[in-house]
Amino acid sequence: MKESLVNKLNKLKNSFFIKENLSKSFNLIYLKISELIFLKKVLLGKPLIIGLAGGQGSGKTTFAHFLKLILENKYNLKTAAISIDDIYKTKKERFRISKKINKLFITRGVPGTHDVKFLNIFFKILKNNKFNKSYLIPKFDKSIDDRLPKSKWHYLQKKVDIFILEGWCVGARPEKNLDNLNKPINKLEAIEDKNCKWRLKVNQHLKTDYKELFSFIDLMIYLKVPNFNKVLAWRGLQEKKLAYSKKNMSQNKLKIMTESEIKRFIMFYERITKKMLIDMPKFADIIVPISSNHQPKKIILN
């Protein structure tokens, strides 16, 4: 007997350590958005690229995998769900950039630390219907802060109907008023980027190669967290899940952040995250407000 979609969803939910009942959000949010994606795919008639953004810890990866499950099982659409976090440049590459521009670029996360050139080439192939062979997409291990060897990369078969690119900065827009960049918004910017070179370079990337990358997106979904303070709290939960998933590894292989390290890490994301909280509800095609108890509440269509 074929396993029901609901049973598959519950198994997936458990794999993400989610205890809440998803029956309501399943019908009102996940099924509805999947239907919209399906209709857009029919209208477009070629591979569809979905952008999925939200503050750190907003549930992007879980959301993407729920959509993938529905699209494949209900609509028979071959779907890939990849995080932009997997496309980080290697530690060696980031070290080189940090020496050249600012030491802050050694830390993964902000625009300029992803291998956007790789994704731009891949999306051109996908959009031109020239994806006629298997493809390897990089995979990044945050616990070692580096890219995994090719033998462990994502393997995509020839046919991809839907490609979901999820990530905290997916769809982010550059700051137009450069005077705003000159004013530090936290201790990290004030102390470690006194000459503003890091902020300006990050913004320049958003104007150029990231703008090209995001131009490939056919449908943009934004998970809107209640406020920036929730990002810090939910990012801490992410780290606990990472620690739990790696519990069988020897401690010398782990790189789990402490609370103080998380607070500093979030400062790298603060400026763009806060701007996206203002920008994305205006520009995203679908906005999903996330409640303070970490659950999607409804969908808003632009």
Side-chain angles (χ1 to χ4, degrees), residues 180-193:
N180 289 337
L181 292 177
N182 289 322
K183 303 169 187 174
I185 62 169
N186 55 40
K187 290 181 180 179
L188 180 89
E189 291 187 356
I191 298 171
E192 300 183 55
D193 188 37

Side-chain angles (χ1 to χ4, degrees), residues 29-39 66-68 70-71 74-75 77:
I29 296 172
Y30 299 112
L31 275 180
K32 183 63 178 177
I33 292 177
S34 297
E35 181 186 7
L36 292 171
I37 292 172
F38 168 71
L39 293 173
F66 283 166
L67 293 180
K68 172 179 164 66
I70 297 167
L71 290 167
K74 184 176 174 63
Y75 296 105
L77 293 171

